[in-house]
Amino acid sequence: MATAVDTAASEADQQAGLSAAGSQYLTFTLGEEHYGVDILRVQEIKGYTAVTRIPNTPDFIKGVLNLRGTIVPIVDLRNKFGMAKVEATMFTVIVVVVVRDRVMGIVVDAVSDVLDIATKDIQPPPNFGARVDTGFIHSMAKSGDKLITLLDIDRVLSVDEFEQTVTSA
Amino acid sequence: MSVDLSKFQSAFFEESAEHVATMEEGLLQLEQCADDLDLLNRIFRAAHSIKGNAGMFGFAAVGEFTHKMENILDALRTGQMQADKPLIDLLLEATDGLKGLLEAAQTNADPDEDVVGPLRERLLACTESRAVGPVKGAPSPAHDASPVKREAPDEMRRIRYEIHWVPTPAVFARGIHPGQILRELRDLGELTSSADIDRLPPLERLHAEGRSLPLTCTLITEHPRREVEAVFLFVQDDSELTIEETTSSEPGTRGRGDTEIAASPPRPVATAGMGSTSDGGPKPLGEILLEEGVISPDVLRHALSQQKRLGEILVEQKAATPQQIAQALDKQRKLEQAAQPKKVETASIRVDTEKIDKLINLVGELVITQSMLSDLGARFAMDRLPVLQERISQLERNTREIQERVMAVRMLPIGTAFNRFPRLVRDLAARNSKQIQLLMSGEETELDKTVMESIGDPLTHLVRNSADHGLETPEERRAAGKPEQGTITLNAFHEGGSICIAVTDDGRGLNRDKILAKAIQQGLVNEADKLSDEQVWPLIFRPGFSTADKITDVSGRGVGMDVVKRNIEGLGGTVTITTELGKGTTFTLKLPLTLAIIEGMTVRVGPETYIVPLVSIVESIQPGPSAVKPVAGRGEIVNVRGAYCPVVRLGDVFGVQPDCTDPTRAILVILETEGERAAVMVDELLGQQQVVIKSLEKNFRKVDGMAGATILGDGTVAFILDVRGLLEVARRGEVVAA
């Protein structure tokens, strides 16, 4: 990665009165789509392993995993976003993120890169109308010729949503 | 320089809670022996510590309230007051008030003035009006030194004290700063102090912890001598100290030495601590103007409210957009939320250092074993296999021992849970006009902290039940030929892998006929049933079942014995009753030593593995061809030696495809909880093992029918069944496929 460009970008950020922190994103793919989450929210990246299914939970919750002694729920992002189911490949990974004070994992097709994204390259989410729920899309960013959807991870893995499933179950 | 005190605040609250407990305990003992000076000193020291610490941490209300209590305690100590029942009552109520204040301080809430206000008044009234002459025989060391009378504020006499104090290294070793002592003196009156630097060794021989500077202070104060002495309470044993009284009320001449240490006007005691914490930093302008009387607080508040917020200014200057400000504010709010501790309640444990030392040694051994193993792994050859096996068994030993030790860290003597009962029994006795003696044994028996926290309420309920329903009134007891004073005994002991706690009273015992009559009346049993005693006694655990003729405000209303039983069973424990009419009743609680590890049966349903807590399992059977019968086409029941119980197909409940759909080929595990039985159908029993319970709620949420999760030997997660919840899920009849 060209460091000169990076420095220039972060300098520009600082001139704009914004800190350079938080502008690094871990990007990953789901099918053909590129997504990103704030790197500061990522605890670790873990190879995909089988999980223990939890009864009485919605489909997108794949189950729980033993992360060095801690029980961590795993969310299937494809399922959550209503995308087609695929078999796990050798690239399939679990991105362990921190949501509020909880640790959770998301299953993604493959991680791509850690990108510095300048604030000027970030745009608010487009308006898809009522047909597409964009609540968990924080913003859109372009990097090279790729369009990256930056996720609001708190909304993707909303704790409330977990709780709601209890009452509806 | 500013010190972040908040880090130490939790320690303060913890310590204060201990001091309050010491005070309460001491006051209760004081009732028996009112002249015990050691006891009085202990209570006084506890109060004094709270006051001092509260001042240091800026909890002025706590400090000021404790100060009022301290005044009375001090008067007791010096024999100016006598510890009679009304006074002890007042002091006990005051400790309750103090607890409330501490809680309020901890949660940043406003203290309940309705409670604290009147108490404060009463404490003050007590110090002013109840001052009596010195009690004969009671030692009063301060008495001969200065003529003591309860001085009314207007007739206070200013006394001049010459104080020579040489703190020894021991004082410093205990972390006491002489400056703190000087500050306390300064709070009492006008203080001039100086240090005799001539006696200092030359610089090259000066040692930081060596012999310290002799200090000479002149204090002019209205406070009596014992208050001056009280300042040195914690250092007098480790110091050379003389306090001489010179009656002159003239302002003191400057100290003899060269270096003046402290000389500032006295400040009111109540705010002293607050002032001393905010050291150094410049004061806000408003505060200075306020102090100098230039402006009034209202004016200041008004002026401050007119200040524009930073965000508004930035927007006006077009330095930022409102959206950006809103985002930043949002971020700030989130940060604040994140910074807030989740629970105010402190969840810390004070552990015997010996336990920690042992643990550290063991971890050291573990590290050595680990390095031996990695060394072996780096240059491994087949002929070294026996060495490897030996190392691995060493690792196993280490792990097991560390596990045991770590568990021991969580173990606390049960005495901490028993502490509340002397007070409770005293209050109950007073309210019911009964005479009750409380005996406790086995206080040193250790119990896991989580279990301890959960048994407090059930135990309280049982003790209340004994005091309220079990024990008779003095008249009844006399008529029955018993001593007027009833006895409640609390006894804790280990039995096998469990801890037992017995609550015994020598009261009237349970009345079989009365219980039966009530049960028949409520339709719980049939008149024709021939019930054994063992079947009759547990009837009192039924919800809404009370044999008390009248409901008192203490027990019998609201929560009943059913709650006790449910709580104890929730902990995986049992309650048993032994009783004899006219002789008394014993409730015995039997609890697992820890909640973190349970004995479980591993069962398999299709591809899934579950853990069934062993305490709930009655037996496991493979039913014969005719034993399982469908009921109304919706459920099945199984005949287990004449008793029918419903069959719960675990695979159906959890949406798992089982290997066996035919009950006669599967295994039925008969579970019992709260007197209810069910046969849970599984494919296979895998074996019995101890499992460590892991919380599901920490990162996820409660799952119906699951008590938690555990990690199996291969690293995968398996769920532990919550038998009660499982039966409820099964009863709702929902087939829930995930």
Side-chain angles (χ1 to χ4, degrees):
Chain A
M1 214 184 274
T3 24
V5 177
D6 288 347
T7 339
S10 62
E11 264 170 19
D13 281 356
Q14 273 158 0
Q15 275 163 9
L18 293 167
S19 92
S23 57
Q24 279 200 321
Y25 292 85
L26 174 74
T27 59
F28 55 84
T29 56
L30 290 176
E32 297 299 307
E33 297 176 29
H34 297 272
Y35 291 91
V37 290
D38 187 343
I39 192 81
L40 295 178
R41 304 298 295 274
V42 177
Q43 186 183 305
E44 63 185 274
I45 299 167
K46 189 178 165 19
Y48 182 77
T49 50
V51 297
T52 304
R53 217 183 43 92
I54 319 170
N56 312 339
T57 46
D59 262 1
F60 65 84
I61 293 171
K62 275 193 89 72
V64 285
L65 194 71
N66 163 26
L67 189 74
R68 291 184 300 280
T70 309
I71 309 289
V72 175
I74 305 297
V75 169
D76 187 335
L77 218 50
R78 275 183 165 268
N79 199 321
K80 173 90 195 194
F81 292 166
M83 299 163 82
K85 231 179 175 158
V86 291
E87 285 298 312
T89 67
M90 58 183 295
F91 298 109
T92 309
V93 293
I94 294 171
V95 180
V96 179
V97 292
V98 180
V99 178
R100 302 281 152 81
D101 41 8
R102 291 170 195 240
V103 180
M104 300 184 189
I106 50 176
V107 182
V108 304
D109 286 357
V111 283
S112 354
D113 210 345
V114 176
L115 293 181
D116 286 300
I117 300 178
T119 319
K120 64 179 167 50
D121 292 332
I122 298 179
Q123 292 166 11
N127 189 354
F128 289 105
R131 280 189 310 129
V132 183
D133 177 15
T134 55
F136 49 77
I137 299 178
H138 178 266
S139 48
M140 309 295 287
K142 62 177 195 299
S143 167
D145 55 349
K146 283 188 293 190
L147 185 65
I148 301 169
T149 308
L150 301 180
L151 295 174
D152 181 344
I153 200 70
D154 284 343
R155 297 224 179 148
V156 176
L157 303 178
S158 147
V159 175
D160 297 345
E161 196 170 21
F162 286 180
E163 301 299 342
Q164 274 163 17
T165 56
V166 184
T167 43
S168 64
Chain B
M1 185 193 76
S2 76
V3 182
D4 181 14
L5 285 170
S6 61
K7 273 187 284 186
F8 306 108
Q9 277 184 4
S10 65
F12 161 71
F13 287 115
E14 215 173 294
E15 256 183 52
S16 297
E18 275 177 28
H19 288 314
V20 171
T22 310
M23 286 167 71
E24 192 169 46
E25 204 181 310
L27 286 167
L28 287 167
Q29 283 176 30
L30 200 63
E31 213 161 30
Q32 263 74 55
C33 35
D35 292 335
D36 190 334
L37 200 64
D38 278 349
L39 196 57
L40 276 166
N41 277 332
R42 194 158 70 225
I43 305 170
F44 180 79
R45 269 199 302 273
H48 190 77
S49 302
I50 297 179
K51 183 185 90 170
N53 291 341
M56 198 149 64
F57 284 95
F59 298 116
V62 174
E64 173 239 18
F65 188 83
T66 323
H67 182 69
K68 291 197 169 64
M69 290 181 74
E70 204 186 295
N71 282 343
I72 298 183
L73 290 168
D74 194 41
L76 285 172
R77 214 159 57 117
T78 50
Q80 296 167 53
M81 279 193 205
Q82 183 71 304
D84 52 9
K85 195 167 176 314
L87 187 61
I88 288 180
D89 278 340
L90 172 63
L91 286 171
L92 280 174
E93 274 181 60
T95 45
D96 291 344
L98 182 57
K99 270 185 225 168
L101 279 173
L102 283 166
E103 255 165 51
Q106 194 169 8
T107 51
N108 283 326
D110 289 328
D112 188 353
E113 267 310 307
D114 291 349
V115 177
V116 182
L119 270 174
R120 211 179 280 139
E121 300 285 305
R122 282 170 62 197
L123 286 173
L124 202 64
C126 185
T127 21
E128 277 168 5
S129 70
R130 287 188 45 121
V132 291
V135 179
K136 203 168 52 174
S140 57
H143 192 66
D144 20 39
S146 66
V148 172
K149 45 181 185 267
R150 287 309 294 179
E151 53 285 285
D154 49 347
E155 55 172 80
M156 272 191 212
R157 204 166 56 96
R158 289 164 74 83
I159 310 167
R160 188 185 143 121
Y161 295 99
E162 286 282 330
I163 302 165
H164 295 275
W165 178 39
V166 189
T168 63
V171 170
F172 295 96
R174 279 166 48 212
I176 296 168
H177 194 293
Q180 182 61 35
I181 303 276
L182 291 176
R183 268 196 287 273
E184 274 188 53
L185 279 180
R186 196 177 62 196
D187 291 337
L188 291 176
E190 285 168 42
L191 179 74
T192 336
S193 52
S194 62
D196 184 2
I197 57 168
D198 295 341
R199 282 171 64 180
L200 268 186
L203 196 59
E204 63 271 18
R205 281 197 284 123
L206 190 63
H207 189 267
E209 290 171 2
R211 193 174 178 79
S212 339
L213 273 181
L215 295 168
T216 307
C217 315
T218 312
L219 176 70
I220 301 172
T221 177
E222 298 148 351
H223 291 266
R225 183 189 174 91
R226 61 195 157 73
E227 283 190 31
V228 180
E229 283 174 345
V231 171
F232 292 96
L233 186 69
F234 293 102
V235 293
Q236 61 194 24
D237 295 342
D238 296 324
S239 313
E240 286 171 29
L241 177 70
T242 52
I243 301 176
E244 277 167 34
E245 205 172 309
T246 51
T247 40
S248 148
S249 60
E250 290 303 305
T253 47
R254 291 268 170 214
R256 272 164 263 172
D258 313 317
T259 326
E260 199 170 288
I261 291 179
S264 71
R267 282 181 292 168
V269 175
T271 58
M274 290 177 72
S276 59
T277 58
S278 60
D279 63 338
K283 285 183 183 173
L285 174 68
E287 209 172 289
I288 296 172
L289 290 172
L290 203 63
E291 269 178 19
E292 293 181 351
V294 180
I295 53 172
S296 76
D298 282 340
V299 174
L300 176 64
R301 256 196 302 278
H302 183 67
L304 284 175
S305 70
Q306 284 188 332
Q307 273 182 358
K308 273 193 185 154
R309 284 157 171 265
L310 177 66
E312 290 172 28
I313 298 171
L314 287 175
V315 172
E316 269 175 29
Q317 294 178 348
K318 303 221 161 48
T321 66
Q323 285 83 358
Q324 282 167 329
I325 299 287
Q327 271 181 10
L329 283 173
D330 198 44
K331 196 165 180 179
Q332 183 188 31
R333 207 188 57 235
K334 275 185 186 157
L335 285 173
E336 268 172 21
Q337 276 172 358
Q340 263 169 17
K342 260 185 291 176
K343 268 198 284 179
V344 186
E345 188 186 326
T346 54
S348 59
I349 292 187
R350 294 196 152 208
V351 184
D352 193 351
T353 42
E354 199 189 327
K355 285 181 178 174
I356 302 284
D357 289 346
K358 280 186 179 155
L359 204 52
I360 288 169
N361 285 342
L362 276 169
V363 171
E365 270 181 55
L366 186 69
V367 170
I368 293 167
T369 312
Q370 183 263 327
S371 69
M372 288 197 296
L373 272 170
S374 52
D375 179 57
L376 196 65
R379 294 174 274 124
F380 188 72
M382 262 329 269
D383 61 325
R384 298 184 76 186
L385 188 63
V387 188
L388 176 68
Q389 280 166 337
E390 189 212 317
R391 298 274 190 268
I392 287 176
S393 67
Q394 193 176 336
L395 182 69
E396 268 172 21
R397 244 189 344 265
N398 279 333
T399 319
R400 201 170 46 239
E401 218 171 316
I402 287 180
Q403 188 202 344
E404 278 167 20
R405 296 284 177 203
V406 171
M407 299 304 290
V409 167
R410 295 185 56 90
M411 303 294 255
L412 297 173
I414 199 166
T416 46
F418 280 3
N419 276 344
R420 64 170 95 171
F421 293 116
R423 175 74 193 278
L424 178 75
V425 168
R426 180 184 186 274
D427 289 354
L428 286 173
R431 207 171 332 195
N432 293 338
S433 326
K434 287 178 183 175
Q435 293 175 23
I436 308 174
Q437 173 192 17
L438 179 71
L439 300 176
M440 297 192 285
S441 57
E443 291 110 313
E444 70 292 337
T445 316
E446 290 198 326
L447 187 59
D448 188 278
K449 183 177 158 69
T450 44
V451 183
M452 186 100 73
E453 280 163 0
S454 322
I455 57 161
D457 287 343
L459 264 187
T460 308
H461 213 81
L462 288 177
V463 171
R464 278 181 171 172
N465 189 279
S466 286
D468 219 28
H469 304 316
L471 293 177
E472 313 89 333
T473 59
E475 300 80 59
E476 281 174 293
R477 291 184 67 90
R478 212 176 322 131
K482 295 191 201 176
E484 283 185 14
Q485 190 181 48
T487 305
I488 295 176
T489 316
L490 280 173
N491 185 21
F493 53 94
H494 283 298
E495 197 180 84
S498 311
I499 186 165
C500 295
I501 306 163
V503 182
T504 308
D505 65 69
D506 64 346
R508 44 175 84 98
L510 291 178
N511 188 329
R512 185 188 156 94
D513 297 341
K514 213 163 154 185
I515 295 172
L516 263 183
K518 187 98 177 187
I520 292 166
Q521 182 201 328
Q522 293 194 344
L524 293 173
V525 291
N526 274 325
E527 223 160 321
D529 290 347
K530 294 257 182 296
L531 294 182
S532 67
D533 284 356
E534 284 66 39
Q535 286 170 302
V536 172
W537 308 143
L539 287 172
I540 65 166
F541 292 126
R542 291 300 185 96
F545 197 96
S546 173
T547 53
D549 299 324
K550 64 173 170 43
I551 288 169
T552 71
D553 64 339
V554 189
S555 65
R557 188 190 296 172
V559 281
M561 296 294 274
D562 56 319
V563 178
V564 174
K565 191 171 161 74
R566 197 180 324 137
N567 284 349
I568 297 299
E569 287 188 345
L571 294 171
T574 55
V575 194
T576 50
I577 307 172
T578 48
T579 179
E580 199 175 333
L581 195 61
K583 293 256 174 76
T585 312
T586 300
F587 293 94
T588 310
L589 310 183
K590 193 170 180 180
L591 293 156
L593 274 179
T594 170
L595 292 181
I597 293 183
I598 61 158
E599 196 73 31
M601 176 67 77
T602 318
V603 301
R604 185 179 64 81
V605 180
E608 304 283 341
T609 307
Y610 300 101
I611 315 282
V612 186
L614 213 59
V615 283
S616 319
I617 300 182
V618 182
E619 61 181 320
S620 303
I621 56 164
Q622 195 147 31
S626 61
V628 179
K629 295 204 166 61
V631 179
R634 294 199 310 184
E636 295 156 297
I637 54 166
V638 60
N639 181 351
V640 187
R641 282 190 294 279
Y644 286 92
C645 64
V647 174
V648 176
R649 290 178 180 242
L650 207 56
D652 286 356
V653 175
F654 290 151
V656 178
Q657 182 62 48
D659 292 355
C660 315
T661 46
D662 177 3
T664 57
R665 290 173 171 276
I667 306 265
L668 294 180
V669 184
I670 315 294
L671 301 179
E672 188 179 78
T673 173
E674 294 179 29
E676 194 182 336
R677 282 194 179 195
V680 171
M681 193 171 123
V682 300
D683 287 341
E684 197 185 349
L685 300 180
L686 297 176
Q688 190 179 324
Q689 70 180 96
Q690 283 202 332
V691 296
V692 179
I693 303 181
K694 300 272 178 183
S695 157
L696 265 176
E697 280 108 294
K698 188 168 161 263
N699 290 319
F700 189 52
R701 61 162 167 84
K702 172 100 186 75
V703 179
D704 285 352
M706 309 292 190
T710 192
I711 293 159
L712 298 175
D714 62 357
T716 57
V717 179
F719 293 109
I720 301 166
L721 301 188
D722 161 23
V723 177
R724 167 117 223 111
L726 176 71
L727 296 190
E728 268 162 28
V729 174
R731 235 192 322 262
R732 285 208 301 265
E734 288 159 1
V735 178
V736 256

